[in-house]
């Protein structure tokens, strides 16, 4: 009997090692991201999570990512195990006497499905457990965090990340910003962050600089036209289209990004996708009518292995009746309207500056049809902005942006809005090129920022992006529509320059500060 048990035990170990070796040999892994419409009932959200995990569409996945703030709220918080303790809530607390029922249930779901599961939840932690944090504690003795939790195939909590850059949320930030990664049995190490974090150096870009090539990204993104600058005092206003920034961030850093988005277009939230760096989207969705609870699955090539994958992309024109999109504060831009005339072709070569920051535009277009009756149609402006995004009660960053964007009239006040009854495009762009010289900086990210009228971005096959550093003090960027390409359903075509905090940027600060940053010949 003992020999039989020993044989069975060794057989199981051998089988497990063989399976892991097979996963490591593959040049891809299979990922699923969930576009999820939340309800106010935790039990309803949990049941829907379980249904998705157990669904046929999810059966082939190695890892599933759920979005931000779609499971529980501040009324149903849970303690979360420290990943260093390698705790399996499903086995260690099956009756949910310490961890909340929903956390134990999802640990068991990951174990039963044998998948890595990434969720986002509202976590509680005793203040006394962090004695080094001397900040005032709530009267109930608890900190409350916006937290990602990662279960491995056995249901063990192997990673936890608490959001650094809160977006007007009644939650705590950690005493020190967290950098979180986790390793998988298919040979990929993931970093993770949450929603608004993507606009800041720590932790998102910092993990890229440390060599991480794959990311999970839960979000509840409130989209806003046409791209992020300006100032906002509205509580729930974010920035550009969710898929727009997801693709741009993945492309600029040349990393794999698994982005899962909350899905309620009536509130302006939607956008999920799986992105393969410079190769673009493997899957993407931007809901415009009603939200959904669906998983989108794709094979993701492992880093250093770049293969062409089949992309399933759809198209649907967005109007302001189908998607509650927000508006950026474009009044802060230096802008100029394009001289588009009905029935005529045109072009524009223009250098536009905001202070000492300048962009060169080379554009050409032709009319498609004459407007009929009261048919709505977009006009276009080129614009440029350099400065702080001074949103109240939020972490802020410094941006240097320039691009082309749509308007519904001839005033800047008419820009950054969706038209209610757009019939068909009246103009197509036959040439789009923007050239910019950006100053060198210690921490910054430049990326292509595009949006079509279906609220999805242009894919890399449609544009050219060149970034070079001719000197220690500057970067030259050329962003253009590919030759022979035309685009007639454009909302935004821009270069997004995110300088995070603008520290150690060439030409910024005193001579002494420039020298301290390592610049030999500062130009003040």
């Amino acid at each position: 009997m003992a020999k039989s048990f020993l044989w069975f035990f060794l057989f199981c170990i051998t089988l497990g090692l063989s399976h892991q070796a097979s996963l490591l040999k593959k040049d891809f892994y299979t990922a699923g991201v969930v576009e999820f419409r939340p309800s106010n009932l935790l039990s309803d959200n949990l049941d829907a999570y379980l249904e998705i995990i157990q669904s046929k569409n999810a059966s082939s996945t190695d890892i599933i990512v759920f979005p931000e703030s779609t499971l529980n709220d501040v009324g149903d918080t849970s303690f979360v195990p420290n990943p260093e303790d390698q705790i399996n809530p499903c086995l260690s607390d099956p009756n949910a006497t310490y961890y909340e029922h929903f956390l134990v249930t999802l640990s068991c779901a990951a174990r039963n499905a044998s998948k890595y599961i990434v969720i986002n939840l509202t976590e509680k932690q005793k203040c006394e457990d962090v004695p080094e944090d001397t900040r005032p504690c709530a009267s109930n003795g608890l900190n409350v965090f916006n937290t990602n939790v990662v279960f491995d195939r056995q249901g063990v909590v192997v990673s936890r990340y608490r959001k650094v850059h809160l977006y007007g949320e009644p939650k705590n930030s950690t005493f020190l910003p967290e950098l979180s990664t986790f390793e998988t049995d298919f040979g990929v190490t993931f970093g993770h962050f949450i929603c608004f974090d993507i606009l800041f150096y720590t932790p998102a870009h910092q993990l890229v600089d440390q060599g991480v090539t794959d990311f999970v990204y839960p979000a509840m993104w409130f989209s806003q036209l046409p791209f992020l600058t300006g100032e906002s005092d509205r509580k729930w206003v974010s920035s550009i289209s969710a898929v727009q920034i997801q693709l741009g961030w993945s492309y600029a850093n040349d990393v794999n990004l698994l982005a899962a988005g909350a899905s309620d277009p009536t509130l302006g939230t939607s956008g999920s996708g799986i992105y393969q760096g410079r190769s673009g989207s493997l899957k993407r969705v931007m809901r415009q009518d009603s939200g959904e609870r669906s998983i989108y699955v794709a094979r993701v090539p492992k880093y250093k292995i770049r293969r062409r994958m089949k992309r399933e992309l759809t198209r649907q024109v967005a109007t302001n009746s189908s998607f509650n999109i927000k508006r950026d504060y474009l009044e802060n831009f230096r802008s100029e309207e394009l001289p588009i005339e009905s029935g005529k072709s045109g072009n524009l070569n223009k250098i536009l500056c905001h202070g000492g920051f300048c962009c060169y535009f080379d554009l050409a277009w032709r009319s498609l049809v004459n407007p009929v009756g009261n048919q709505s149609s977009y006009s276009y402006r080129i614009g440029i902005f350099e400065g702080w995004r001074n949103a109240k009660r939020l972490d802020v960053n410094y941006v240097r942006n320039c691009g082309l964007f749509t308007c519904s009239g001839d005033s800047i006040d008419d820009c950054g809005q969706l038209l209610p009854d757009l019939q068909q495009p009246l103009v197509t762009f036959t040439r789009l090129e923007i050239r910019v010289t950006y100053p060198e900086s210690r921490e910054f990210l430049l990326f292509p920022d595009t949006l079509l009228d279906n609220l999805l971005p242009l894919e890399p096959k449609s544009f050219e992006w060149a970034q070079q550093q001719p000197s220690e003090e500057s970067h030259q960027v050329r962003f253009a529509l590919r030759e022979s390409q035309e685009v007639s359903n454009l909302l935004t075509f821009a270069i997004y320059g995110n300088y995070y905090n603008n520290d150690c940027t060439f030409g910024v600060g005193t001579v002494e500060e420039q020298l301290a940053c390592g610049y030999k010949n500062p130009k003040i």
Side-chain angles (χ1 to χ4, degrees), residues 35 54 58 60 72 123 132 136 155 158 166 180 226-227 284 305 312 319 336 343 362 386 403 416 434 521:
E35 174 87 0
Q54 298 161 5
S60 64
N72 67 321
E123 176 198 4
E132 65 272 20
V158 293
L166 299 173
S180 296
F227 42 71
R284 61 181 188 178
I305 300 175
E312 299 176 12
T319 70
E336 181 175 309
D362 183 7
E386 175 185 11
I434 305 174
N521 298 303

Side-chain angles (χ1 to χ4, degrees), residues 222-229 234 237 239-241 244 318-320 323-331 333 335 377-382 403-420 451 455 490-492:
F222 291 79
S223 296
Q224 177 181 332
L225 286 173
F227 42 71
L228 184 68
T229 49
R234 284 172 270 185
V237 176
S239 60
I240 53 188
S241 153
Q244 186 181 4
T319 70
N320 67 4
F323 196 96
N324 186 17
I325 202 162
K326 312 299 182 183
R327 179 183 181 274
D328 199 357
Y329 275 61
L330 296 170
E331 293 79 7
F333 277 62
S335 69
S377 61
Y378 287 117
S379 60
Y380 288 88
R381 279 182 175 266
I382 54 172
L404 171 77
F405 49 88
T406 52
C407 306
S408 58
D410 56 8
S411 168
I412 191 67
D413 296 330
D414 301 319
C415 302
Q417 300 172 355
L418 291 174
L419 288 171
L451 193 66
L455 300 187
L490 190 66
L491 296 184
T492 303

Side-chain angles (χ1 to χ4, degrees), residues 9-23 185:
F9 178 73
L10 292 174
F11 172 78
C12 291
I13 290 178
T14 303
L15 187 65
L17 292 175
S18 175
H19 176 67
Q20 183 173 349
S22 176
L23 291 172
D185 60 6

Side-chain angles (χ1 to χ4, degrees), residues 215-379:
F215 292 85
V216 295
Y217 176 56
M220 177 178 275
W221 193 272
F222 291 79
S223 296
Q224 177 181 332
L225 286 173
F227 42 71
L228 184 68
T229 49
E231 177 179 338
S232 173
D233 58 3
R234 284 172 270 185
K235 182 178 180 181
W236 292 113
V237 176
S238 186
S239 60
I240 53 188
S241 153
V243 175
Q244 186 181 4
I245 195 168
Q246 290 165 11
L247 184 141
W249 192 87
S250 170
Y251 179 91
N253 289 306
D254 197 16
V255 295
N256 292 326
L257 180 67
L258 316 182
S263 188
D264 190 347
T266 61
L267 295 179
T269 66
S270 180
S272 302
I274 300 174
Y275 308 92
Q276 187 198 347
R278 292 297 170 101
S279 296
S281 306
L282 299 174
K283 290 284 184 178
R284 61 181 188 178
V285 60
M286 192 78 181
R287 298 293 300 182
Q288 297 168 27
D289 43 13
S290 60
E292 65 175 350
R293 294 175 169 181
S294 300
I295 185 170
Y296 292 84
V297 178
R299 286 184 172 183
V300 184
K302 293 179 182 177
Y303 193 68
K304 295 183 181 178
I305 300 175
R306 300 301 189 190
R307 301 191 309 173
R308 290 188 177 274
M309 308 295 287
K310 183 177 180 181
R311 293 162 171 77
E312 299 176 12
L313 308 177
T314 58
R315 171 168 166 73
Q316 174 189 1
V317 175
T319 70
N320 67 4
S321 60
S322 61
F323 196 96
N324 186 17
I325 202 162
K326 312 299 182 183
R327 179 183 181 274
D328 199 357
Y329 275 61
L330 296 170
E331 293 79 7
N332 295 325
F333 277 62
R334 169 79 186 279
S335 69
E336 181 175 309
E337 185 177 10
L338 295 192
I340 296 176
E341 297 184 51
S342 178
K344 295 183 179 180
S345 298
N347 61 80
L348 179 73
N349 291 276
K350 183 77 175 182
I351 296 176
L352 202 61
C353 298
H354 188 204
F357 177 56
C358 299
C359 300
Y360 170 74
F361 295 87
D362 183 7
L363 315 175
W365 60 86
R366 59 182 174 84
S367 294
L368 295 177
V369 295
N370 292 321
V372 178
N374 294 322
Q375 176 182 335
S376 298
S377 61
Y378 287 117
S379 60

